[in-house]
Amino acid sequence: MVSTSAGSPQRQPIIYLDANATEPLRPEARDAFLEAAELTGNPSSVHRAGRMARAMLEQARNDVAQAFEVAPLNCIFTSGGTEANVLAMHGLSAGRRFLVGATEHDAVRNGFPEGADVTWLAVEKDGTVSLAGLEQALNASDTPAFVCLMLANNETGVLHPITDIATLCQRYGAHLHVDGVQAAGRIAFSVTASGVNSFALSGHKTGGPKGAGALLLAGPAPGRVLPLFEGGGQEQGRRGGTQPLPAIAGMAAALRTALQTPRNLSPLRDRIEHAACAVGAVVSGAQAPRLHNTSSLILPGRLAQEQLMRLDLEGICVSAGSACSSGKVAFSHVLQAMGFEAQAGQALRVSLPWNVQEEDVTRFIQVYENMARKAASGLKLSTLI
């Protein structure tokens, strides 16, 4: 999506290609948000205003549950994907040891209960979990396991073979929790049919407002979840606090729209990758099934932060494949787990939003090619800024 800051004609138009950080708000989600925001009642109140809010909340719950084929009572609304993951890890893992993918998001990597027994699961060079390694870890102890593996990686877009993983977990009596934040709304997925036990999602990664997410549970009846905080007993006593109804309504509307009107962005993603490879870039995870909107582009010898600065000056918004803080580039644990060494600090993530246009991709390619060629000539990118 190309836009220009009002009153600043001298600035470059903004091209937003960072959907995996947050998707642009969908019009349907904005409308649902505003409609819900106009309701005064608390969904827990028994008077008419409260019942109106409750009716909207339960309609959103039904819509989200239907999208992933779970029972509505098994949809627990949260503040976002991080809380949904942590709620599952704390509330469903009693008596279990953790088996966790090496490429998981930090929301999972930093979300363990105190004193947790954690084993890290290796991934193949393409970024998918080693099924042999998973089975070995499942078989290594009589203590049942709590397995955490994401559906789609946030940096590379690589999809784990969740159905095969679920079969292994069922064989060994393990609970399989899936971080579905990046995949929700981008690919169709049935929690029930896949064999997954619990599933986390976030509204703003589907084009909804920030501030809402959900933890979904498999099974026909509500599972027992120990709440992180009890509050007033909302969400069947599994997540305390008044529900953020506008954000929840917007999330449900975004999910409906995303799944009813899917857009295949693979041709645009492939254009970007073909052009990037032609000027020396490497695409990580390219041999595995991936999300259709995500590219992890490694430009050998050039730090991600320098590349980000160059692109940002041209009005192009992307992310590093690694976290940057205090002026230092941290190597991506995802790429390191896949076998990349120095290159783990040289990756950009380009993630196409639902409303990306052909001209946005064309402009990105022009700037990226120019940047890569000048870098190849021996100039430091910082001298080009």
Side-chain angles (χ1 to χ4, degrees):
M1 176 181 64
V2 180
S3 62
T4 306
S5 301
S8 303
Q10 74 279 10
R11 292 186 178 181
Q12 290 283 352
I14 293 175
I15 298 176
Y16 185 80
L17 305 178
D18 196 18
N20 287 11
T22 189
E23 283 275 13
L25 188 65
R26 293 178 182 268
E28 298 84 357
R30 182 186 297 109
D31 292 344
F33 180 96
L34 293 175
E35 181 183 357
E38 291 177 354
L39 292 181
T40 301
N42 186 315
S44 296
S45 298
V46 297
H47 49 59
R48 182 181 299 178
R51 294 196 305 272
M52 292 173 64
R54 169 63 67 174
M56 182 173 288
L57 178 70
E58 296 309 321
Q59 182 59 59
R61 193 187 310 279
N62 289 339
D63 290 345
V64 173
Q66 183 179 21
F68 299 97
E69 299 184 350
V70 301
L73 284 178
N74 280 353
C75 172
I76 306 169
F77 287 126
T78 66
S79 63
T82 294
E83 186 189 344
N85 280 313
V86 174
L87 177 58
M89 295 170 70
H90 284 247
L92 296 169
S93 66
R96 293 178 179 271
R97 58 196 171 95
F98 283 87
L99 304 182
V100 184
T103 58
E104 294 302 293
H105 191 277
D106 282 343
V108 169
R109 288 162 56 86
N110 297 326
F112 302 112
E114 186 175 356
D117 176 5
V118 181
T119 297
W120 298 97
L121 300 171
V123 297
E124 308 288 359
K125 290 184 177 180
D126 65 2
T128 59
V129 70
S130 167
L131 294 177
L134 171 60
E135 183 163 22
Q136 183 178 9
L138 287 168
N139 196 36
S141 171
D142 291 334
T143 302
F146 190 94
V147 178
C148 296
L149 285 166
M150 57 189 7
L151 180 51
N153 187 266
N154 54 298
E155 291 188 21
T156 63
V158 167
L159 299 168
H160 283 311
I162 291 296
T163 301
D164 294 336
I165 292 166
T167 299
L168 276 176
C169 289
Q170 290 166 0
R171 184 182 305 164
Y172 290 91
H175 180 109
L176 175 57
H177 173 68
V178 170
D179 175 354
V181 166
Q182 290 296 343
R186 292 176 180 155
I187 60 175
F189 185 79
S190 169
V191 170
T192 301
S194 67
V196 166
N197 299 107
S198 55
F199 185 89
L201 62 96
S202 176
H204 74 98
K205 299 298 178 76
T206 67
K210 301 173 182 68
L215 173 62
L216 307 180
L217 308 176
R224 175 60 178 151
V225 180
L226 296 176
L228 296 173
F229 43 89
E230 295 190 12
Q234 294 90 346
E235 296 299 294
Q236 300 89 48
R238 298 177 292 185
R239 196 275 185 184
T242 299
Q243 297 92 340
L245 182 58
I248 289 170
M251 173 175 67
L255 269 173
R256 286 196 306 270
T257 304
L259 294 173
Q260 291 171 1
T261 58
R263 183 184 178 194
N264 181 14
L265 298 174
S266 296
L268 294 179
R269 180 201 67 185
D270 293 347
R271 270 190 64 198
I272 288 173
E273 293 178 358
H274 179 78
C277 290
V279 290
V282 175
V283 180
S284 60
Q287 302 305 313
R290 289 181 293 153
L291 291 177
H292 57 82
N293 78 314
T294 305
S295 299
S296 175
L297 306 178
I298 298 171
L299 192 58
R302 301 300 168 181
L303 291 179
Q305 189 173 14
E306 294 183 14
Q307 298 178 59
L308 278 177
M309 292 170 66
R310 178 69 261 173
L311 292 169
D312 187 55
L313 284 178
E314 297 289 343
I316 297 174
C317 301
V318 298
S319 291
S322 54
C324 301
S325 61
S326 303
K328 297 181 180 180
V329 176
F331 279 35
S332 163
H333 72 274
V334 172
L335 297 185
Q336 286 181 315
M338 294 169 64
F340 294 97
E341 296 180 358
Q343 292 174 318
Q346 300 164 359
L348 293 182
R349 180 186 69 190
V350 181
S351 49
L352 306 178
W354 61 268
N355 59 353
V356 67
Q357 301 298 312
E358 290 271 358
E359 55 265 32
D360 301 337
V361 170
T362 298
R363 174 62 179 160
F364 170 81
I365 289 173
Q366 291 172 343
V367 174
Y368 189 88
E369 287 177 335
N370 185 52
M371 176 184 71
R373 286 171 180 147
K374 288 184 177 179
S377 69
L379 292 174
K380 290 185 178 180
L381 295 185
S382 57
T383 67
L384 307 176
I385 297 172

mmCIF file of all heavy atoms in Angstrom, residues 167-216:
data_model
loop_
_atom_site.group_PDB
_atom_site.id
_atom_site.type_symbol
_atom_site.label_atom_id
_atom_site.label_comp_id
_atom_site.label_asym_id
_atom_site.label_seq_id
_atom_site.Cartn_x
_atom_site.Cartn_y
_atom_site.Cartn_z
ATOM 1 N N THR A 167 0.185 -36.384 14.902
ATOM 2 C CA THR A 167 0.127 -37.847 14.948
ATOM 3 C C THR A 167 1.161 -38.407 15.909
ATOM 4 O O THR A 167 0.875 -39.309 16.707
ATOM 5 C CB THR A 167 0.344 -38.426 13.533
ATOM 6 O OG1 THR A 167 -0.699 -37.964 12.665
ATOM 7 C CG2 THR A 167 0.324 -39.945 13.560
ATOM 8 N N LEU A 168 2.374 -37.866 15.859
ATOM 9 C CA LEU A 168 3.412 -38.299 16.789
ATOM 10 C C LEU A 168 3.040 -37.970 18.231
ATOM 11 O O LEU A 168 3.216 -38.788 19.136
ATOM 12 C CB LEU A 168 4.735 -37.628 16.445
ATOM 13 C CG LEU A 168 5.598 -38.257 15.353
ATOM 14 C CD1 LEU A 168 6.821 -37.397 15.092
ATOM 15 C CD2 LEU A 168 6.011 -39.667 15.744
ATOM 16 N N CYS A 169 2.518 -36.763 18.436
ATOM 17 C CA CYS A 169 2.160 -36.351 19.793
ATOM 18 C C CYS A 169 1.059 -37.241 20.366
ATOM 19 O O CYS A 169 1.099 -37.624 21.547
ATOM 20 C CB CYS A 169 1.728 -34.881 19.795
ATOM 21 S SG CYS A 169 3.092 -33.717 19.535
ATOM 22 N N GLN A 170 0.084 -37.585 19.552
ATOM 23 C CA GLN A 170 -0.986 -38.461 20.020
ATOM 24 C C GLN A 170 -0.453 -39.842 20.390
ATOM 25 O O GLN A 170 -0.889 -40.447 21.374
ATOM 26 C CB GLN A 170 -2.067 -38.563 18.928
ATOM 27 C CG GLN A 170 -2.860 -37.284 18.721
ATOM 28 C CD GLN A 170 -3.668 -37.302 17.432
ATOM 29 O OE1 GLN A 170 -3.642 -38.277 16.680
ATOM 30 N NE2 GLN A 170 -4.379 -36.212 17.153
ATOM 31 N N ARG A 171 0.523 -40.316 19.620
ATOM 32 C CA ARG A 171 1.100 -41.635 19.875
ATOM 33 C C ARG A 171 1.756 -41.702 21.252
ATOM 34 O O ARG A 171 1.735 -42.740 21.924
ATOM 35 C CB ARG A 171 2.110 -41.974 18.785
ATOM 36 C CG ARG A 171 2.705 -43.369 18.879
ATOM 37 C CD ARG A 171 3.722 -43.575 17.772
ATOM 38 N NE ARG A 171 3.151 -43.308 16.453
ATOM 39 C CZ ARG A 171 3.877 -43.113 15.346
ATOM 40 N NH1 ARG A 171 5.206 -43.131 15.424
ATOM 41 N NH2 ARG A 171 3.285 -42.885 14.194
ATOM 42 N N TYR A 172 2.327 -40.572 21.691
ATOM 43 C CA TYR A 172 3.051 -40.547 22.960
ATOM 44 C C TYR A 172 2.297 -39.805 24.066
ATOM 45 O O TYR A 172 2.874 -39.510 25.121
ATOM 46 C CB TYR A 172 4.431 -39.909 22.757
ATOM 47 C CG TYR A 172 5.378 -40.786 21.959
ATOM 48 C CD1 TYR A 172 5.451 -40.674 20.571
ATOM 49 C CD2 TYR A 172 6.168 -41.738 22.581
ATOM 50 C CE1 TYR A 172 6.304 -41.484 19.830
ATOM 51 C CE2 TYR A 172 7.034 -42.541 21.855
ATOM 52 C CZ TYR A 172 7.089 -42.408 20.478
ATOM 53 O OH TYR A 172 7.940 -43.219 19.751
ATOM 54 N N GLY A 173 1.039 -39.509 23.844
ATOM 55 C CA GLY A 173 0.235 -38.858 24.877
ATOM 56 C C GLY A 173 0.658 -37.433 25.181
ATOM 57 O O GLY A 173 0.446 -36.940 26.299
ATOM 58 N N ALA A 174 1.231 -36.752 24.207
ATOM 59 C CA ALA A 174 1.700 -35.379 24.403
ATOM 60 C C ALA A 174 0.607 -34.378 24.044
ATOM 61 O O ALA A 174 -0.238 -34.631 23.181
ATOM 62 C CB ALA A 174 2.943 -35.122 23.546
ATOM 63 N N HIS A 175 0.644 -33.240 24.706
ATOM 64 C CA HIS A 175 -0.226 -32.110 24.362
ATOM 65 C C HIS A 175 0.495 -31.268 23.321
ATOM 66 O O HIS A 175 1.640 -30.850 23.532
ATOM 67 C CB HIS A 175 -0.512 -31.269 25.612
ATOM 68 C CG HIS A 175 -1.396 -30.078 25.353
ATOM 69 N ND1 HIS A 175 -2.700 -30.006 25.805
ATOM 70 C CD2 HIS A 175 -1.167 -28.910 24.691
ATOM 71 C CE1 HIS A 175 -3.233 -28.863 25.432
ATOM 72 N NE2 HIS A 175 -2.316 -28.174 24.755
ATOM 73 N N LEU A 176 -0.149 -31.007 22.199
ATOM 74 C CA LEU A 176 0.445 -30.185 21.141
ATOM 75 C C LEU A 176 -0.189 -28.806 21.142
ATOM 76 O O LEU A 176 -1.378 -28.647 20.836
ATOM 77 C CB LEU A 176 0.261 -30.841 19.770
ATOM 78 C CG LEU A 176 0.739 -30.009 18.566
ATOM 79 C CD1 LEU A 176 2.221 -29.635 18.696
ATOM 80 C CD2 LEU A 176 0.489 -30.766 17.257
ATOM 81 N N HIS A 177 0.618 -27.808 21.510
ATOM 82 C CA HIS A 177 0.175 -26.413 21.442
ATOM 83 C C HIS A 177 0.812 -25.743 20.230
ATOM 84 O O HIS A 177 2.032 -25.825 20.037
ATOM 85 C CB HIS A 177 0.554 -25.634 22.695
ATOM 86 C CG HIS A 177 0.261 -24.164 22.560
ATOM 87 N ND1 HIS A 177 -1.025 -23.678 22.495
ATOM 88 C CD2 HIS A 177 1.095 -23.102 22.415
ATOM 89 C CE1 HIS A 177 -0.980 -22.370 22.340
ATOM 90 N NE2 HIS A 177 0.291 -21.990 22.286
ATOM 91 N N VAL A 178 -0.006 -25.097 19.430
ATOM 92 C CA VAL A 178 0.457 -24.463 18.195
ATOM 93 C C VAL A 178 0.271 -22.954 18.284
ATOM 94 O O VAL A 178 -0.833 -22.465 18.543
ATOM 95 C CB VAL A 178 -0.296 -25.029 16.974
ATOM 96 C CG1 VAL A 178 0.004 -24.209 15.722
ATOM 97 C CG2 VAL A 178 0.089 -26.483 16.755
ATOM 98 N N ASP A 179 1.359 -22.230 18.064
ATOM 99 C CA ASP A 179 1.300 -20.785 17.900
ATOM 100 C C ASP A 179 0.889 -20.531 16.450
ATOM 101 O O ASP A 179 1.683 -20.676 15.522
ATOM 102 C CB ASP A 179 2.678 -20.189 18.195
ATOM 103 C CG ASP A 179 2.764 -18.692 17.934
ATOM 104 O OD1 ASP A 179 1.784 -18.111 17.418
ATOM 105 O OD2 ASP A 179 3.810 -18.092 18.232
ATOM 106 N N GLY A 180 -0.370 -20.156 16.273
ATOM 107 C CA GLY A 180 -0.895 -19.938 14.927
ATOM 108 C C GLY A 180 -0.982 -18.488 14.531
ATOM 109 O O GLY A 180 -1.690 -18.148 13.565
ATOM 110 N N VAL A 181 -0.271 -17.618 15.246
ATOM 111 C CA VAL A 181 -0.423 -16.179 15.065
ATOM 112 C C VAL A 181 -0.173 -15.744 13.624
ATOM 113 O O VAL A 181 -0.944 -14.978 13.041
ATOM 114 C CB VAL A 181 0.493 -15.426 16.054
ATOM 115 C CG1 VAL A 181 0.622 -13.957 15.667
ATOM 116 C CG2 VAL A 181 -0.041 -15.549 17.473
ATOM 117 N N GLN A 182 0.924 -16.215 13.010
ATOM 118 C CA GLN A 182 1.249 -15.760 11.663
ATOM 119 C C GLN A 182 0.401 -16.424 10.589
ATOM 120 O O GLN A 182 0.216 -15.866 9.511
ATOM 121 C CB GLN A 182 2.733 -16.003 11.366
ATOM 122 C CG GLN A 182 3.682 -15.115 12.131
ATOM 123 C CD GLN A 182 3.533 -13.638 11.796
ATOM 124 O OE1 GLN A 182 2.952 -13.250 10.789
ATOM 125 N NE2 GLN A 182 4.060 -12.793 12.670
ATOM 126 N N ALA A 183 -0.117 -17.593 10.879
ATOM 127 C CA ALA A 183 -0.864 -18.329 9.846
ATOM 128 C C ALA A 183 -2.345 -18.005 9.830
ATOM 129 O O ALA A 183 -2.995 -18.118 8.788
ATOM 130 C CB ALA A 183 -0.679 -19.834 10.058
ATOM 131 N N ALA A 184 -2.902 -17.615 10.982
ATOM 132 C CA ALA A 184 -4.347 -17.393 11.080
ATOM 133 C C ALA A 184 -4.803 -16.336 10.082
ATOM 134 O O ALA A 184 -4.254 -15.244 10.024
ATOM 135 C CB ALA A 184 -4.709 -16.968 12.504
ATOM 136 N N GLY A 185 -5.793 -16.684 9.285
ATOM 137 C CA GLY A 185 -6.318 -15.772 8.281
ATOM 138 C C GLY A 185 -5.574 -15.803 6.959
ATOM 139 O O GLY A 185 -6.067 -15.278 5.968
ATOM 140 N N ARG A 186 -4.388 -16.411 6.963
ATOM 141 C CA ARG A 186 -3.609 -16.491 5.726
ATOM 142 C C ARG A 186 -3.724 -17.858 5.066
ATOM 143 O O ARG A 186 -3.563 -17.972 3.851
ATOM 144 C CB ARG A 186 -2.137 -16.160 6.010
ATOM 145 C CG ARG A 186 -1.950 -14.702 6.399
ATOM 146 C CD ARG A 186 -0.528 -14.379 6.773
ATOM 147 N NE ARG A 186 -0.421 -12.967 7.123
ATOM 148 C CZ ARG A 186 0.494 -12.443 7.914
ATOM 149 N NH1 ARG A 186 1.413 -13.242 8.451
ATOM 150 N NH2 ARG A 186 0.513 -11.164 8.183
ATOM 151 N N ILE A 187 -3.944 -18.885 5.880
ATOM 152 C CA ILE A 187 -4.223 -20.208 5.349
ATOM 153 C C ILE A 187 -5.399 -20.794 6.130
ATOM 154 O O ILE A 187 -5.586 -20.486 7.302
ATOM 155 C CB ILE A 187 -2.997 -21.163 5.452
ATOM 156 C CG1 ILE A 187 -2.567 -21.347 6.905
ATOM 157 C CG2 ILE A 187 -1.845 -20.650 4.606
ATOM 158 C CD1 ILE A 187 -1.462 -22.361 7.082
ATOM 159 N N ALA A 188 -6.199 -21.617 5.467
ATOM 160 C CA ALA A 188 -7.298 -22.286 6.164
ATOM 161 C C ALA A 188 -6.718 -23.370 7.065
ATOM 162 O O ALA A 188 -5.808 -24.096 6.674
ATOM 163 C CB ALA A 188 -8.262 -22.876 5.150
ATOM 164 N N PHE A 189 -7.253 -23.473 8.288
ATOM 165 C CA PHE A 189 -6.713 -24.442 9.228
ATOM 166 C C PHE A 189 -7.800 -24.883 10.190
ATOM 167 O O PHE A 189 -8.490 -24.043 10.792
ATOM 168 C CB PHE A 189 -5.542 -23.838 10.016
ATOM 169 C CG PHE A 189 -4.842 -24.816 10.920
ATOM 170 C CD1 PHE A 189 -3.927 -25.714 10.398
ATOM 171 C CD2 PHE A 189 -5.105 -24.839 12.278
ATOM 172 C CE1 PHE A 189 -3.272 -26.620 11.219
ATOM 173 C CE2 PHE A 189 -4.455 -25.739 13.112
ATOM 174 C CZ PHE A 189 -3.534 -26.635 12.577
ATOM 175 N N SER A 190 -7.950 -26.190 10.353
ATOM 176 C CA SER A 190 -8.904 -26.747 11.299
ATOM 177 C C SER A 190 -8.157 -27.285 12.508
ATOM 178 O O SER A 190 -7.348 -28.215 12.384
ATOM 179 C CB SER A 190 -9.720 -27.874 10.656
ATOM 180 O OG SER A 190 -10.458 -28.585 11.624
ATOM 181 N N VAL A 191 -8.408 -26.703 13.663
ATOM 182 C CA VAL A 191 -7.789 -27.197 14.892
ATOM 183 C C VAL A 191 -8.217 -28.638 15.148
ATOM 184 O O VAL A 191 -7.401 -29.499 15.482
ATOM 185 C CB VAL A 191 -8.170 -26.281 16.073
ATOM 186 C CG1 VAL A 191 -7.751 -26.903 17.406
ATOM 187 C CG2 VAL A 191 -7.531 -24.904 15.904
ATOM 188 N N THR A 192 -9.489 -28.909 14.959
ATOM 189 C CA THR A 192 -10.019 -30.236 15.251
ATOM 190 C C THR A 192 -9.465 -31.294 14.303
ATOM 191 O O THR A 192 -8.964 -32.336 14.725
ATOM 192 C CB THR A 192 -11.553 -30.220 15.180
ATOM 193 O OG1 THR A 192 -12.054 -29.279 16.127
ATOM 194 C CG2 THR A 192 -12.126 -31.596 15.473
ATOM 195 N N ALA A 193 -9.520 -31.032 13.008
ATOM 196 C CA ALA A 193 -9.088 -32.035 12.032
ATOM 197 C C ALA A 193 -7.583 -32.267 12.069
ATOM 198 O O ALA A 193 -7.113 -33.363 11.730
ATOM 199 C CB ALA A 193 -9.518 -31.615 10.629
ATOM 200 N N SER A 194 -6.821 -31.269 12.474
ATOM 201 C CA SER A 194 -5.363 -31.388 12.472
ATOM 202 C C SER A 194 -4.836 -32.222 13.629
ATOM 203 O O SER A 194 -3.693 -32.676 13.594
ATOM 204 C CB SER A 194 -4.733 -29.998 12.532
ATOM 205 O OG SER A 194 -5.013 -29.384 13.784
ATOM 206 N N GLY A 195 -5.629 -32.392 14.670
ATOM 207 C CA GLY A 195 -5.161 -33.117 15.837
ATOM 208 C C GLY A 195 -4.463 -32.252 16.865
ATOM 209 O O GLY A 195 -3.916 -32.759 17.845
ATOM 210 N N VAL A 196 -4.501 -30.926 16.674
ATOM 211 C CA VAL A 196 -3.893 -29.989 17.616
ATOM 212 C C VAL A 196 -4.730 -29.931 18.895
ATOM 213 O O VAL A 196 -5.956 -30.038 18.861
ATOM 214 C CB VAL A 196 -3.798 -28.598 16.954
ATOM 215 C CG1 VAL A 196 -3.499 -27.523 17.974
ATOM 216 C CG2 VAL A 196 -2.745 -28.613 15.853
ATOM 217 N N ASN A 197 -4.078 -29.728 20.036
ATOM 218 C CA ASN A 197 -4.791 -29.622 21.312
ATOM 219 C C ASN A 197 -5.136 -28.189 21.693
ATOM 220 O O ASN A 197 -6.186 -27.938 22.289
ATOM 221 C CB ASN A 197 -3.966 -30.255 22.437
ATOM 222 C CG ASN A 197 -3.717 -31.734 22.210
ATOM 223 O OD1 ASN A 197 -2.604 -32.128 21.878
ATOM 224 N ND2 ASN A 197 -4.744 -32.557 22.368
ATOM 225 N N SER A 198 -4.259 -27.262 21.382
ATOM 226 C CA SER A 198 -4.526 -25.854 21.666
ATOM 227 C C SER A 198 -3.847 -24.993 20.608
ATOM 228 O O SER A 198 -2.842 -25.403 20.008
ATOM 229 C CB SER A 198 -4.067 -25.464 23.079
ATOM 230 O OG SER A 198 -2.700 -25.776 23.287
ATOM 231 N N PHE A 199 -4.393 -23.788 20.395
ATOM 232 C CA PHE A 199 -4.000 -22.974 19.248
ATOM 233 C C PHE A 199 -4.148 -21.509 19.632
ATOM 234 O O PHE A 199 -5.198 -21.092 20.134
ATOM 235 C CB PHE A 199 -4.905 -23.319 18.069
ATOM 236 C CG PHE A 199 -4.575 -22.669 16.756
ATOM 237 C CD1 PHE A 199 -3.695 -23.270 15.862
ATOM 238 C CD2 PHE A 199 -5.167 -21.467 16.384
ATOM 239 C CE1 PHE A 199 -3.411 -22.693 14.633
ATOM 240 C CE2 PHE A 199 -4.891 -20.876 15.156
ATOM 241 C CZ PHE A 199 -4.007 -21.488 14.278
ATOM 242 N N ALA A 200 -3.099 -20.717 19.398
ATOM 243 C CA ALA A 200 -3.113 -19.295 19.740
ATOM 244 C C ALA A 200 -3.199 -18.445 18.483
ATOM 245 O O ALA A 200 -2.595 -18.772 17.451
ATOM 246 C CB ALA A 200 -1.853 -18.924 20.522
ATOM 247 N N LEU A 201 -3.947 -17.340 18.571
ATOM 248 C CA LEU A 201 -4.016 -16.407 17.442
ATOM 249 C C LEU A 201 -4.083 -14.982 17.955
ATOM 250 O O LEU A 201 -4.381 -14.724 19.124
ATOM 251 C CB LEU A 201 -5.204 -16.730 16.541
ATOM 252 C CG LEU A 201 -6.605 -16.637 17.131
ATOM 253 C CD1 LEU A 201 -7.234 -15.282 16.816
ATOM 254 C CD2 LEU A 201 -7.496 -17.739 16.593
ATOM 255 N N SER A 202 -3.824 -14.040 17.048
ATOM 256 C CA SER A 202 -3.801 -12.612 17.376
ATOM 257 C C SER A 202 -4.581 -11.835 16.332
ATOM 258 O O SER A 202 -4.391 -12.045 15.131
ATOM 259 C CB SER A 202 -2.356 -12.115 17.445
ATOM 260 O OG SER A 202 -2.309 -10.722 17.666
ATOM 261 N N GLY A 203 -5.445 -10.920 16.781
ATOM 262 C CA GLY A 203 -6.314 -10.196 15.856
ATOM 263 C C GLY A 203 -5.584 -9.287 14.888
ATOM 264 O O GLY A 203 -5.929 -9.221 13.709
ATOM 265 N N HIS A 204 -4.559 -8.573 15.343
ATOM 266 C CA HIS A 204 -3.945 -7.576 14.457
ATOM 267 C C HIS A 204 -3.067 -8.210 13.381
ATOM 268 O O HIS A 204 -2.693 -7.545 12.412
ATOM 269 C CB HIS A 204 -3.156 -6.539 15.264
ATOM 270 C CG HIS A 204 -1.859 -7.008 15.820
ATOM 271 N ND1 HIS A 204 -0.654 -6.750 15.204
ATOM 272 C CD2 HIS A 204 -1.562 -7.698 16.942
ATOM 273 C CE1 HIS A 204 0.327 -7.267 15.927
ATOM 274 N NE2 HIS A 204 -0.196 -7.857 16.988
ATOM 275 N N LYS A 205 -2.740 -9.499 13.504
ATOM 276 C CA LYS A 205 -1.991 -10.170 12.447
ATOM 277 C C LYS A 205 -2.908 -10.638 11.318
ATOM 278 O O LYS A 205 -2.430 -11.132 10.298
ATOM 279 C CB LYS A 205 -1.225 -11.368 13.020
ATOM 280 C CG LYS A 205 -0.195 -10.996 14.093
ATOM 281 C CD LYS A 205 0.898 -10.093 13.549
ATOM 282 C CE LYS A 205 1.882 -9.680 14.635
ATOM 283 N NZ LYS A 205 2.817 -10.729 15.020
ATOM 284 N N THR A 206 -4.231 -10.482 11.504
ATOM 285 C CA THR A 206 -5.186 -10.847 10.459
ATOM 286 C C THR A 206 -5.830 -9.631 9.814
ATOM 287 O O THR A 206 -6.696 -9.771 8.958
ATOM 288 C CB THR A 206 -6.295 -11.750 11.030
ATOM 289 O OG1 THR A 206 -7.081 -10.994 11.944
ATOM 290 C CG2 THR A 206 -5.714 -12.951 11.745
ATOM 291 N N GLY A 207 -5.422 -8.435 10.248
ATOM 292 C CA GLY A 207 -6.043 -7.215 9.743
ATOM 293 C C GLY A 207 -7.090 -6.654 10.677
ATOM 294 O O GLY A 207 -7.875 -5.795 10.304
ATOM 295 N N GLY A 208 -7.105 -7.135 11.926
ATOM 296 C CA GLY A 208 -7.991 -6.598 12.937
ATOM 297 C C GLY A 208 -7.275 -5.568 13.790
ATOM 298 O O GLY A 208 -6.100 -5.270 13.582
ATOM 299 N N PRO A 209 -7.969 -5.019 14.790
ATOM 300 C CA PRO A 209 -7.333 -4.049 15.693
ATOM 301 C C PRO A 209 -6.349 -4.737 16.625
ATOM 302 O O PRO A 209 -6.436 -5.936 16.883
ATOM 303 C CB PRO A 209 -8.521 -3.478 16.489
ATOM 304 C CG PRO A 209 -9.752 -3.969 15.813
ATOM 305 C CD PRO A 209 -9.389 -5.227 15.098
ATOM 306 N N LYS A 210 -5.434 -3.971 17.150
ATOM 307 C CA LYS A 210 -4.532 -4.482 18.182
ATOM 308 C C LYS A 210 -5.302 -4.586 19.495
ATOM 309 O O LYS A 210 -6.220 -3.818 19.752
ATOM 310 C CB LYS A 210 -3.326 -3.573 18.334
ATOM 311 C CG LYS A 210 -2.514 -3.419 17.047
ATOM 312 C CD LYS A 210 -1.431 -2.369 17.207
ATOM 313 C CE LYS A 210 -0.657 -2.186 15.915
ATOM 314 N NZ LYS A 210 -1.490 -1.577 14.832
ATOM 315 N N GLY A 211 -4.918 -5.564 20.327
ATOM 316 C CA GLY A 211 -5.506 -5.671 21.650
ATOM 317 C C GLY A 211 -6.408 -6.864 21.869
ATOM 318 O O GLY A 211 -7.010 -6.983 22.935
ATOM 319 N N ALA A 212 -6.525 -7.751 20.893
ATOM 320 C CA ALA A 212 -7.359 -8.944 21.053
ATOM 321 C C ALA A 212 -6.656 -10.150 20.451
ATOM 322 O O ALA A 212 -5.942 -10.046 19.456
ATOM 323 C CB ALA A 212 -8.726 -8.754 20.394
ATOM 324 N N GLY A 213 -6.889 -11.295 21.069
ATOM 325 C CA GLY A 213 -6.394 -12.567 20.573
ATOM 326 C C GLY A 213 -7.280 -13.656 21.128
ATOM 327 O O GLY A 213 -8.309 -13.386 21.748
ATOM 328 N N ALA A 214 -6.881 -14.897 20.924
ATOM 329 C CA ALA A 214 -7.689 -16.004 21.440
ATOM 330 C C ALA A 214 -6.831 -17.244 21.606
ATOM 331 O O ALA A 214 -5.878 -17.475 20.855
ATOM 332 C CB ALA A 214 -8.856 -16.299 20.508
ATOM 333 N N LEU A 215 -7.199 -18.047 22.619
ATOM 334 C CA LEU A 215 -6.675 -19.384 22.787
ATOM 335 C C LEU A 215 -7.812 -20.349 22.477
ATOM 336 O O LEU A 215 -8.877 -20.282 23.102
ATOM 337 C CB LEU A 215 -6.174 -19.610 24.217
ATOM 338 C CG LEU A 215 -5.738 -21.033 24.564
ATOM 339 C CD1 LEU A 215 -4.559 -21.473 23.706
ATOM 340 C CD2 LEU A 215 -5.401 -21.153 26.049
ATOM 341 N N LEU A 216 -7.593 -21.225 21.503
ATOM 342 C CA LEU A 216 -8.608 -22.186 21.084
ATOM 343 C C LEU A 216 -8.222 -23.571 21.579
ATOM 344 O O LEU A 216 -7.056 -23.965 21.507
ATOM 345 C CB LEU A 216 -8.729 -22.198 19.562
ATOM 346 C CG LEU A 216 -8.957 -20.840 18.884
ATOM 347 C CD1 LEU A 216 -9.057 -21.023 17.380
ATOM 348 C CD2 LEU A 216 -10.183 -20.143 19.436
#
